[in-house]
Amino acid sequence: MVLRPWVAPFAAAVACASVSPQARAQDEMVAVRSISRPISRAIAWSEGAARGPNVAVASAAANAASSVPQMATGLSLPPRVTFAAGPRYGSLGSGLDYSVTAFLDIPLRPLASARSKVGDALVVATSTELARARIDGGFAAAVAWSHALEAKEVLAVRTRGEKGMEGIVGIASKRVKAGVGLPSELMLARGDYGAAGAATLDAEGGVIDSYAELRLAIGAPVDEAIDPVGELCKTNDAPIDEKAVYAEAETSAPIIASVKARSALAAADVSLVRASWGQTIGFGAQYAREGFGEQSVLGMVSIPLPIVDPARFDTARAKIAAAEATADVERARLIVRKLVAIALHDRIHTREVRKKLLDDALEPLREAVRLAHVQYETGTQDLTAVLLTRQRLFTVEEQVVRACGAVHRADFAVLHLLGKAPS
């Protein structure tokens, strides 16, 4: 059994073709660990928060928004100059008329202030989104780490099971040669040995997939050799104050903070739309020279008539988005409460499942397998009972591995809602 290239080259591990498939797999795993970069839970979280796929996008937006407040101006239209020229014809002769007019529109509403508030709200909103992207990236990387370590442990369980089946094939072969076993026993053992090998290959595929997800989550190159490390079944099982978690989530949840920032931005947009489309008062000056040499200088004032507010339609339209954003804050609170309730339940439930498997299933089945092996070797038990107990044992061992991974993910879900990194 040669493992696929899910990490760096295994050439040194597979050089000796005369060794058994199980020994070769173990050598490969040793070679992998010696050349791979170890990824712990803390490393996965920190690198996911720093280089997760969505962090770069949110960071670009935050950087771009940082200069927006400085761009705010108080003019809705730029100052403008108009130049007019043309010939004059008349009974007195001809000449060139020309005039120059300068004009400036000044908004009657606080446009500069409205733009500054929108710029500040954009800075807050993009910064909040960046903080949320970092938390989401850390959470995704931690979850990917748990899946990768889980897949690694499942592969180890199946490799161990395959090696054990190789031993049973050897025992069955000796029994047949000694005349105390049936040829069907040997064929049955070989069949289960082949099935165990297929299960190992299947677990190997799970390792490839989960390692690829972990690389993506931590922003690692696709060909980097990594090795998830840690004690999958070791967690902090101290009880937590559920009321405090609910209260903290109400104030610290990245989801709520993000929605609040968008609501503030939408409200600032309403003021900006109203100021941008508001009425203006215009001031101007004109210099004119007519073709026969006469000159004039004029001052001009443009006063809006308060008959209609041109900003009403666009302001009303902006208020729709602002109302939705405001209502969305309460929706986010409801969602966070639901997610906290599920996460707190999962934190307890996954630990109960893990404890049940460890205390009431794993040890009895290990003893049953040991006894079945002894009885089969002494001829007091048939092969079917041995294979059945082994299948049950390795099924439970895999369930234990997956239950331990589920405990980690339940803990991550609580921390994710609170916007915290695992300690």
Side-chain angles (χ1 to χ4, degrees), residues 189-251:
R190 286 181 176 175
D192 265 32
Y193 181 40
T200 302
L201 289 174
D202 180 68
E204 183 187 320
V207 168
I208 293 172
D209 292 344
S210 62
Y211 278 36
E213 288 294 333
L214 179 55
R215 290 189 192 96
L216 174 64
I218 64 176
V222 295
D223 58 349
E224 180 181 359
I226 60 173
D227 181 28
V229 296
E231 296 183 49
L232 191 64
C233 288
K234 183 178 180 180
T235 54
N236 180 8
D237 299 326
I240 60 176
D241 187 343
E242 295 191 357
K243 289 184 178 180
V245 172
Y246 276 105
E248 188 174 357
E250 286 275 350
T251 58

Side-chain angles (χ1 to χ4, degrees), residues 114-379:
R115 283 174 171 167
S116 294
K117 289 179 180 178
V118 168
D120 293 339
L122 274 170
V123 170
V124 172
T126 54
S127 298
T128 303
E129 284 299 319
L130 176 57
R132 181 180 175 183
R134 293 192 188 283
I135 291 296
D136 290 348
F139 173 72
V143 169
W145 166 86
S146 71
H147 282 301
L149 186 56
E150 182 181 307
K152 175 183 171 181
E153 296 293 339
V154 167
L155 177 60
V157 169
R158 293 189 182 180
T159 301
R160 188 168 64 251
E162 185 182 3
K163 184 176 181 180
M165 276 307 307
E166 185 182 31
I168 291 177
V169 170
I171 295 173
S173 180
K174 290 179 181 177
R175 285 173 55 84
V176 170
K177 289 179 181 178
V180 295
L182 298 174
S184 59
E185 289 184 10
L186 179 58
M187 294 300 102
L188 181 59
R190 286 181 176 175
D192 265 32
Y193 181 40
T200 302
L201 289 174
D202 180 68
E204 183 187 320
V207 168
I208 293 172
D209 292 344
S210 62
Y211 278 36
E213 288 294 333
L214 179 55
R215 290 189 192 96
L216 174 64
I218 64 176
V222 295
D223 58 349
E224 180 181 359
I226 60 173
D227 181 28
V229 296
E231 296 183 49
L232 191 64
C233 288
K234 183 178 180 180
T235 54
N236 180 8
D237 299 326
I240 60 176
D241 187 343
E242 295 191 357
K243 289 184 178 180
V245 172
Y246 276 105
E248 188 174 357
E250 286 275 350
T251 58
S252 304
I255 297 174
I256 295 178
S258 178
V259 173
K260 283 183 175 179
R262 289 199 298 269
S263 176
L265 177 59
D269 269 330
V270 173
S271 298
L272 177 58
V273 168
R274 185 172 183 274
S276 297
W277 287 93
Q279 295 169 329
T280 62
I281 184 170
F283 296 95
Q286 183 183 64
Y287 168 77
R289 183 184 186 282
E290 57 96 26
F292 302 142
E294 294 182 349
Q295 303 180 55
S296 64
V297 177
L298 301 174
M300 293 177 289
V301 177
S302 172
I303 300 175
L305 298 177
I307 299 174
V308 63
D309 183 0
R312 286 198 308 173
F313 175 79
D314 291 283
T315 302
R317 188 175 58 173
K319 285 181 178 179
I320 296 174
E324 288 180 347
T326 301
D328 200 34
V329 175
E330 183 58 30
R331 183 184 71 89
R333 286 197 178 99
L334 294 174
I335 291 174
V336 166
R337 291 190 195 108
K338 181 201 76 171
L339 294 177
V340 169
I342 294 173
L344 290 175
H345 169 268
D346 287 349
R347 187 180 185 276
I348 296 173
H349 180 73
T350 53
R351 282 169 168 79
E352 290 175 343
V353 172
R354 182 184 64 180
K355 187 176 187 302
K356 191 71 173 177
L357 288 169
L358 288 171
D359 295 349
D360 298 344
L362 188 60
E363 291 306 320
L365 282 172
R366 283 177 175 170
E367 180 63 14
V369 168
R370 187 189 69 81
L371 293 174
H373 272 259
V374 172
Q375 292 168 349
Y376 179 61
E377 290 187 53
T378 58

Side-chain angles (χ1 to χ4, degrees), residues 376-414:
Y376 179 61
E377 290 187 53
T378 58
T380 60
Q381 182 69 274
D382 62 14
L383 180 62
T384 305
V386 176
L387 299 180
L388 179 61
T389 53
R390 282 180 55 81
Q391 288 174 359
R392 289 182 175 177
L393 171 62
F394 286 106
T395 297
V396 168
E397 286 191 342
E398 283 194 32
Q399 287 179 318
V400 168
V401 171
R402 300 193 188 283
C404 290
V407 172
H408 279 283
R409 290 187 285 276
D411 289 348
F412 296 153
V414 175

